[in-house]
Amino acid sequence: MIPFRQVHLDFHTSEAIPGIGEKFDKKQFQGALEMGHVDSITIFAKCHHGWSYYSSKINAIHPNLKFDLLKAELEACREIDVHAPVYLSAGFDERMAREHPEWLIRKPDETLSDTATFMEPGYHRMCYNTPYLDKLLAELREVMENYHPEGIFLDISAVTPCVCSRCRREILERGGDYRREEDVRAQAERTFAAYVKKVRETVEEYDKDCRIFHNAGHIVRGRRDLAHANTHLELESLPTGGWGYDHFPMSASYVKTLGMEYLGMTGKFHTTWGEFGGYKHPNALRYEAGLSLAFGAKCSIGDQMHPNGRMNEKTYRLIGKTYEEVEQKEPWCRHAVPISDVAVLSQEAAGSSLATRETVHHGDVGANRVLLEGHYLYSFIDLEEEFGRYRVLILPDNIELDEALEHRLSEYLAGGGKLLLSGRSGLRAGTEEFALDIGARFEGGNPCQPTYCVFPDEGEAEVIYEKNYRISLTSGKALAEVQNPYFNRNILHFSSHQHAPNDEGKSETAVVKKENIVYIGWDIFAEYGKIGSLQAKRLIRTALNELLDGSPTAEAKLPDKGILTMTKQEEEHRYIVHHLFAHTTVRGHFLLDGEEKPVEAIEDLVPLYNVEGTVRVPERIRRVYLAPSMEELEFVYREKENGSLANGAAAEVYYRIPKMECHQMVVVEY
């Protein structure tokens, strides 16, 4: 098992800084780790600037470092039984970028990747299809042979399109054309696959059990080949560093389906990597660690050491407040298997071969937020996942069906599965007709935008800005209708400040249910992902609750910022229900790579009182208590008369948490 309480210790250090490591002190280093309750720390062999921090015969040691810092750190860790994976910058090596510009990744316009030129500060990405890879592998071999690390962390390690001279030549030799994006991407895939293979072979020459992780800042949904190039996964997701607080739940909700160990990596910084003297509020780290545990992950907190080699003790007091709690919670998190009622077939997984953390899939974002805020138990899945594991499957907005997917969904429905479709999802690929019988006929896109949703029992129109698709009812039941505006806004026809109001004279079916399928005739998940409108959330939740028959496996009365997850420890005969709550506020923006990023902060933790929860499981429950405090909770056990509940459970168990702050685990034993 990978350790629960990790630190990622950045050390990207310019050659213009003197006195590197001169204040490193083994006892002070060890004391900081003990103060922080740290059981693993990732330390540097080579940084983005291209300097080594060990006695290297392959690379140049930092010119202002007078001793083997890597060896000293490893010895300090091993003396106190702290794990110490070793970091090498793979994609960035600024020293080699200057000495061998022919090894750099080139874009079609001849600019460079990440930092476009050498006339601005920043790093430049190296191409693995050049002799640079030979040098990197030699460095890796040297580290493995001389230091015997238990893990290797290779950073800036991703499929990256390149049209350098070598890549162009190879594309042409294979009969391709480097003017075509698909040929350039295919070359990038080949280059990365060869790099990954050689890295693994090099590491396994010395230690077949050594852990390997290639960090790209985002785990691409639908690319299991990339995920399994690693021995475990580290989900880099600094909420204040541009990722936001809903990125990690979405990433973890996919990764938890892959059968791999994984950890959530946040940072101690107020903003992001590279910040000296910035500190997150302790309550923010407590929440972020709780979030990792709730989604089945171990914890990692990013720090960076001062160039002088002295550990910042304020940082480790900060980390210690969080990791002391994590240490107490670990027994209820080991080998805990996440439970989900709902699966989202990810837009990214269904249609994207390459992606970065900046890639926007608005439907995925909207689905994640609705499910998170609605306290559903959910996973994001790809096309390799077994659909039958989930009670409801969501295809958000634009997932058309090829023959194979149509067949799989038909089998899923025949087995009792339930389906929520929206927008163009469910159409037979390349056509304007539904592949499945949803109880309505597809009539094409609505030329009016925005349009209005009307629930039959209310009659009040609610605006929806994303595209509407017209349907005509055949055999299904209408759940909601659409009304058009009087006209689209243009130079000849406009009214008020934004858009024309709804024309009440005509309504058409917009949401339909037939048996186990609900179809929503809008790009409704993109609507929520972009603007978070309450009517979009309400429409999605109405459909979901209809399909779940009002009996999810777990539910809790939490605010919209609350989070609910559930795991199972089979050997211990217990379920763990995780409840989290914290206010997040945007405190401004900071500039990162020329782009403004919001600073979303957590400071005050507001306690919640008398939080009611329900679980519906097949086993006979014998005990409910809070962990790690071991406080017993009274519970009400109500068996279902005349059969079982919708999810196969024999009974409902009700409990009430008298008071919770930040993260509370409820243990349900059977």
Side-chain angles (χ1 to χ4, degrees), residues 423-442:
R424 293 186 62 86
S425 288
L427 295 182
R428 186 170 284 116
T431 75
E432 295 290 295
E433 61 180 26
F434 288 115
L436 306 168
D437 182 5
I438 72 157
R441 207 168 28 247
F442 190 78

Side-chain angles (χ1 to χ4, degrees), residues 28-80:
Q28 194 267 343
F29 184 84
Q30 293 172 328
L33 299 182
E34 290 169 342
M35 185 189 309
H37 292 258
V38 175
D39 59 7
S40 178
I41 185 165
T42 302
I43 53 179
F44 270 43
K46 188 186 81 170
C47 73
H48 288 347
H49 291 276
W51 301 112
S52 293
Y53 297 93
Y54 66 95
S55 302
S56 176
K57 295 179 181 178
I58 306 298
N59 195 40
I61 193 169
H62 194 290
N64 300 320
L65 176 65
K66 308 303 181 188
F67 67 104
D68 190 326
L69 179 59
L70 176 63
K71 180 181 179 181
E73 290 174 323
L74 281 169
E75 288 176 352
C77 289
R78 288 166 178 167
E79 280 183 12
I80 59 173

Side-chain angles (χ1 to χ4, degrees), residues 508-519:
E508 296 179 354
T509 299
V511 182
V512 61
K513 180 184 180 187
K514 181 174 182 183
E515 298 170 351
N516 285 3
I517 304 176
V518 172
Y519 170 78

Side-chain angles (χ1 to χ4, degrees), residues 173-468:
E173 287 172 353
R174 278 191 298 273
D177 185 340
Y178 56 77
R179 295 170 297 180
R180 287 201 301 263
E181 184 180 356
E182 60 268 30
D183 289 352
V184 174
R185 290 194 170 200
Q187 170 69 19
E189 294 280 359
R190 277 187 284 269
T191 296
F192 189 75
Y195 151 79
V196 164
K197 181 175 182 289
K198 290 177 180 178
V199 164
R200 185 175 289 273
E201 289 171 350
T202 301
V203 170
E204 290 184 350
E205 284 178 31
Y206 299 93
D207 185 354
K208 294 188 184 302
D209 296 321
C210 182
R211 295 194 297 273
I212 304 170
F213 179 65
H214 299 273
N215 184 47
H218 174 68
I219 306 298
V220 181
R221 294 183 290 280
R223 293 300 306 271
R224 294 195 179 201
D225 58 329
L226 297 182
H228 288 292
N230 307 288
T231 57
H232 69 288
L233 297 173
E234 304 195 20
L235 279 56
E236 185 182 2
S237 186
L238 280 62
T240 57
W243 283 261
Y245 272 100
D246 57 0
H247 175 268
F248 173 76
M250 181 160 58
S251 188
S253 292
Y254 171 65
V255 165
K256 69 183 184 181
T257 70
L258 302 182
M260 302 176 71
E261 281 193 276
Y262 54 99
L263 58 84
M265 181 191 289
T266 183
K268 69 97 178 182
F269 318 106
H270 179 62
T271 58
T272 191
W273 302 108
E275 178 183 77
F276 287 98
Y279 304 92
K280 200 170 265 172
H281 195 281
N283 287 337
L285 281 184
R286 288 178 61 199
Y287 175 81
E288 290 158 19
L291 196 62
S292 285
L293 298 179
F295 279 88
K298 312 295 174 58
C299 305
S300 176
I301 298 173
D303 179 29
Q304 62 179 345
M305 189 163 62
H306 191 281
N308 65 23
R310 183 174 177 82
M311 297 285 268
N312 185 304
E313 293 181 6
K314 180 175 180 177
T315 292
Y316 289 86
R317 287 193 295 271
L318 171 66
I319 292 173
K321 290 181 180 179
T322 291
Y323 276 174
E324 185 176 12
E325 289 186 15
V326 171
E327 192 170 10
Q328 294 170 3
K329 295 173 181 177
E330 286 176 23
W332 292 272
C333 300
R334 292 191 189 100
H335 306 295
V337 178
I339 293 171
S340 297
D341 288 329
V342 179
V344 181
L345 181 55
S346 166
Q347 290 177 330
E348 182 181 46
S352 176
S353 62
L354 281 177
T356 67
R357 71 180 174 94
E358 288 79 18
T359 301
V360 176
H361 298 278
H362 291 296
D364 282 1
V365 171
N368 181 64
R369 288 178 180 163
V370 168
L371 294 167
L372 200 64
E373 294 165 9
H375 315 130
Y376 296 93
L377 306 180
Y378 69 99
S379 295
F380 272 76
I381 65 170
D382 56 29
L383 290 167
E384 296 183 51
E385 179 69 337
E386 172 54 54
F387 295 165
R389 296 177 181 176
Y390 306 95
R391 293 168 60 191
V392 177
L393 177 59
I394 297 173
L395 274 61
D397 296 352
N398 60 13
I399 299 177
E400 297 182 354
L401 312 186
D402 60 17
E403 187 175 340
L405 183 53
E406 179 182 341
H407 177 70
R408 290 184 64 195
L409 291 176
S410 296
E411 287 189 334
Y412 171 70
L413 291 165
K418 299 182 179 183
L419 200 56
L420 175 54
L421 307 169
S422 64
R424 293 186 62 86
S425 288
L427 295 182
R428 186 170 284 116
T431 75
E432 295 290 295
E433 61 180 26
F434 288 115
L436 306 168
D437 182 5
I438 72 157
R441 207 168 28 247
F442 190 78
E443 304 288 358
N446 189 338
C448 295
Q449 196 170 352
T451 51
Y452 295 83
C453 178
V454 181
F455 286 94
D457 57 339
E458 295 182 6
E460 297 296 334
E462 301 179 25
V463 66
I464 296 179
Y465 291 94
E466 289 298 305
K467 190 171 182 62
N468 172 251

Side-chain angles (χ1 to χ4, degrees), residues 486-515:
Y486 284 100
F487 41 75
N488 283 340
R489 187 178 179 89
N490 58 50
I491 190 65
L492 298 178
H493 303 88
F494 68 91
S495 179
S496 190
H497 297 291
Q498 290 195 64
H499 47 81
N502 57 305
D503 181 352
E504 296 178 338
K506 184 180 180 183
S507 299
E508 296 179 354
T509 299
V511 182
V512 61
K513 180 184 180 187
K514 181 174 182 183
E515 298 170 351

